[in-house]
Amino acid sequence: AQKVTQAQTEISVVEKEDVTLDCVYETRDTTYYLFWYKQPPSGELVFLIRRNSFDEQNEISGRYSWNFQKSTSSFNFTITASQVVDSAVYFCALSGGGATNKLIFGTGTLLAVQP
Amino acid sequence: EAEVAQSPRYKITEKSQAVAFWCDPISGHATLYWYRQILGQGPELLVQFQDESVVDDSQLPKDRFSAERLKGVDSTLKIQPAELGDSAMYLCASSKTDSETYEQYFGPGTRLTVT
């Protein structure tokens, strides 16, 4: 069965601090995709990144970076120099295998960035 | 930028009443998804359409929930009768196809409260 675990329920940081959100996944598929979504208080899920299982290269996009390690089944997300606007719930998700590409979400991490 | 539209944004209904949600995906997106997100949890797929056909409705409580996408464009999700446990955010998403290489874009959601 596929599963995504986000052990950090809530994280609070002060603006300009760096913060890492952890994501651990379980799957028996050899081909799969990992995602991160941001959910601000308005409720809409905003796509941040997709990574396929064959590409372990880390990615950086502005203040955001992602570290994918198949050896530990982890796909962690780091925000550098956090800002108040980064405050949101962040979800890690997995898709792959089966007849559909439905997303399996973790329980989310609430990030609060204090000014 | 094209967006997934959902209405209503908020709905309060009494137990045992019928309720319906509407979703209009991004133009040209063949795949449409309905997810349910209970407070404090990640979204879970209820039903997935490829054009007008249901691809996955394994988690849809079919005794009270129904979904349709008659012309392969917009979609309606109905609950009858509503129960207290149905209180949640109902999210619609769309993607170009059901391929895992295409990310899912989410609408703003409908927050349902059953009293």
Side-chain angles (χ1 to χ4, degrees), chain A residues 8-27:
Chain A
Q8 303 153 310
T9 305
E10 294 185 33
I11 299 176
S12 183
V13 299
V14 176
E15 207 170 18
K16 298 185 182 178
E17 285 186 14
D18 298 346
V19 58
T20 295
L21 309 181
D22 297 334
C23 173
V24 174
Y25 62 92
E26 297 176 28
T27 182

Side-chain angles (χ1 to χ4, degrees), chain B residues 24-40:
Chain B
D24 191 13
I26 293 173
S27 179
H29 280 196
T31 311
L32 185 147
Y33 315 78
W34 283 102
Y35 288 85
R36 177 171 62 183
Q37 184 180 17
I38 296 172
L39 189 63

Side-chain angles (χ1 to χ4, degrees), chain B residues 46-64:
Chain B
L46 289 175
V47 60
Q48 177 180 343
F49 290 92
Q50 180 65 26
D51 298 311
E52 66 275 7
S53 301
V54 173
V55 175
D56 184 352
D57 63 357
S58 57
Q59 299 304 308
L60 188 71
K62 299 180 187 63
D63 56 334
R64 298 184 300 107

Side-chain angles (χ1 to χ4, degrees), chain A residues 32-109:
Chain A
Y32 52 89
Y33 289 80
L34 295 163
F35 302 79
W36 275 95
Y37 281 86
K38 174 182 180 180
Q39 188 174 43
S42 60
E44 184 172 347
L45 281 165
V46 178
F47 167 80
L48 295 178
I49 190 172
R50 177 188 66 244
R51 173 66 69 215
N52 75 56
S53 53
F54 297 107
D55 182 2
E56 289 193 69
Q57 194 170 21
N58 292 331
E59 182 159 338
I60 298 174
S61 176
R63 297 184 296 107
Y64 295 170
S65 63
W66 291 269
N67 182 2
F68 176 30
Q69 292 194 333
K70 288 181 73 172
S71 61
T72 56
S73 297
S74 65
F75 186 43
N76 296 337
F77 173 31
T78 297
I79 302 175
T80 302
S82 61
Q83 300 176 2
V84 172
V85 293
D86 296 327
S87 297
V89 179
Y90 290 86
F91 289 96
C92 180
L94 166 71
S95 77
T100 75
N101 63 333
K102 68 180 181 183
L103 294 173
I104 305 298
F105 285 87
T107 51
T109 297

Side-chain angles (χ1 to χ4, degrees), chain B residues 62-78:
Chain B
K62 299 180 187 63
D63 56 334
R64 298 184 300 107
F65 285 64
S66 64
E68 60 182 17
R69 193 184 184 198
L70 294 177
K71 297 182 179 179
V73 181
D74 58 338
S75 175
T76 301
L77 178 69
K78 297 179 181 178

